[in-house]
Every structure is written in C-alpha cells, then in structure tokens.
Amino acid sequence: MFSYKPLTSELAKAVQVPVNGPLVEVHLNDTSDLPRGDENQSTPPAHCVLNEHYRLSAERIHNLTVYEDDLWIVTAPKCGTTWTQEMMWLLDNDLNYQKASEINLIDRSIFLEFCTLIPAFDKDTITLVEQMARPRHIKSHLPMALLPKQLWTIRPRIVYCARNPKDMVTSFYHHYRHIHAYVGSKETFLEAILQDAVMYQPQIPHTLDFWSIRNEPNVLFLHFEEMKRNMANVLERACKFLGKSYTQPQLKHLEEHLSFDVMKNL
C-alpha cells in the first residue's frame, strides 16, 4: 500500500533530531481512490516526509474508521492549526466556553498521528481517536494521500487552513528549535525545507491537493492570513459550513476569545 524512501543525504541527516529519529518519504502506491479536483488532475498527490517509526502505523491510519459526523482539522504544520481547532470546536459545541476551559484542546481535538512522531510517547493517539465520543474532532498534518481512505467515501466535514509558505517556514524553524531540539543553523534548515528533507514536507503540494477540492460541500478551506485580517468574515463562513447561527454579540465575544492574547495560553 505504501512505499518508503529513506532520507540519507548529508542535508537530511543534518536536520534530523533524536526525538523523531531517521526520516523517510512516505508514498501511497495506489492513488486511484483519492479525490482529484479539475485543477490537479495531472499532478500526483503529495507524499510526506515522516519518521521511520511512522511505518508501523501507516496502514492502521489509512484504514481508520471514519464517521459522517466527524470534523477533521487538516493543515500543514504551523499553519493556524490550534487556532482553527479552538474556533471550530466552540462553534460546533454551542460556544461552550466552560467545557472548553475544563477539557484541554488536545483532548477535545486529538492529534491523530502524534504517537507515530514521538516513539517515546506513552499514549496511542490513534486508539484515543478510535475511542472518542462522537461527534469527533480530529486534527492531522498528514497530506491527502496518507489520511484515512474513508474520508473520500464517508465525506465527513473537513476544515483545511493554509498559510503563506514563507511565514510557515519561519514559524516551523522556531518550532523545530524549541520543541524538537534542533541545534543546527537556520540556513541548513531552510535549505532542507527547499529539498523536502524536513518532517511533513513538502508543504505546497499538501495545500494544493486540498485547494483542488475546496468547492466540495464537505470542505471548508480557510487562510491563516484571512483569520488575522478579517476573523468576523471567517466566523460567518464557518457558521454557514456547520449550519450554526449565533448573534453578533456572541460572535464578537468569540472573536475576542480567539485573539492572540488568549490563544497563546492554550
């Protein structure tokens, strides 16, 4: 089902970090069941750079049971994922701020493949997703080809958030330093991004795959930049997507809740 290409170049080794281990390109061999938008008919779906440990769970994730009432938050890394998760969870749960304050976002919207990224992590996040009470909110950074195949037949709600690649790379570099304990130079990291030798790369094909299906009724395609510039409009679109209706004061309060000063503490 999948093929794997180890990344063995000196550049790839220079950006590998102990917490993740050796990296591989992961490719889906049979892509015939994937949705193909008109603008992307002749372009192969994005592969993904992940760690060697991911191989143990690739087919399990691909065969995960999907439900129609799921809500999937999909982004490349550092593209407004947490922001989108909090926004969509509150809109979908009647603006229940009390419950949101009592249950951490990582438990309200579980990161599907996290346990595959950190081999030493002591929880199986795939099992946690399988055991979630419905309707489930699920987060993933995986590209279209590596996500559960039932997404394209069951057609649950999918929210994708895109971001300017230059801003993503800057944020991802700092994330790699502070979270992944990367100690190499910024120049090496940026060159590795250009050579698709960093976790979750390449970003642009990842985004273009979802851009090609942005007009599907079960897909909401958002932009990080629009969320910064005009959150009110984004909330209006998100409410329509979810079939929810809130008053202007309620939406204004939510917009304040989603401000940087609040979100930095999540």
Side-chain angles (χ1 to χ4, degrees), residues 148-168:
K149 61 186 178 182
Q150 287 189 1
L151 281 177
W152 321 120
T153 54
I154 303 299
R155 296 172 62 81
R157 301 165 296 172
I158 301 172
V159 181
Y160 190 92
C161 190
R163 188 180 187 185
N164 182 308
K166 291 189 291 185
D167 293 331
M168 182 284 294

Side-chain angles (χ1 to χ4, degrees), residues 73-142:
I73 306 294
V74 182
T75 74
K78 311 312 294 180
C79 290
T81 321
T82 301
W83 207 5
T84 306
Q85 287 174 272
E86 181 74 355
M87 175 181 72
M88 298 307 297
W89 190 91
L90 284 165
L91 287 174
D92 203 31
N93 286 272
D94 302 321
L95 303 180
N96 192 338
Y97 295 101
Q98 181 62 36
K99 186 174 182 180
S101 69
E102 295 170 352
I103 304 175
N104 194 292
L105 182 59
I106 63 174
D107 297 314
R108 288 184 277 127
S109 183
I110 294 177
F111 188 176
L112 173 64
E113 69 269 19
F114 186 77
C115 63
T116 73
L117 309 178
I118 312 293
F121 191 60
D122 62 354
K123 293 182 180 179
D124 184 336
T125 50
I126 305 169
T127 295
L128 293 178
V129 166
E130 293 171 332
Q131 295 174 346
M132 287 180 77
R134 295 170 57 189
R136 307 180 301 182
H137 278 223
I138 303 163
K139 160 190 169 178
S140 180
H141 292 317
L142 295 174

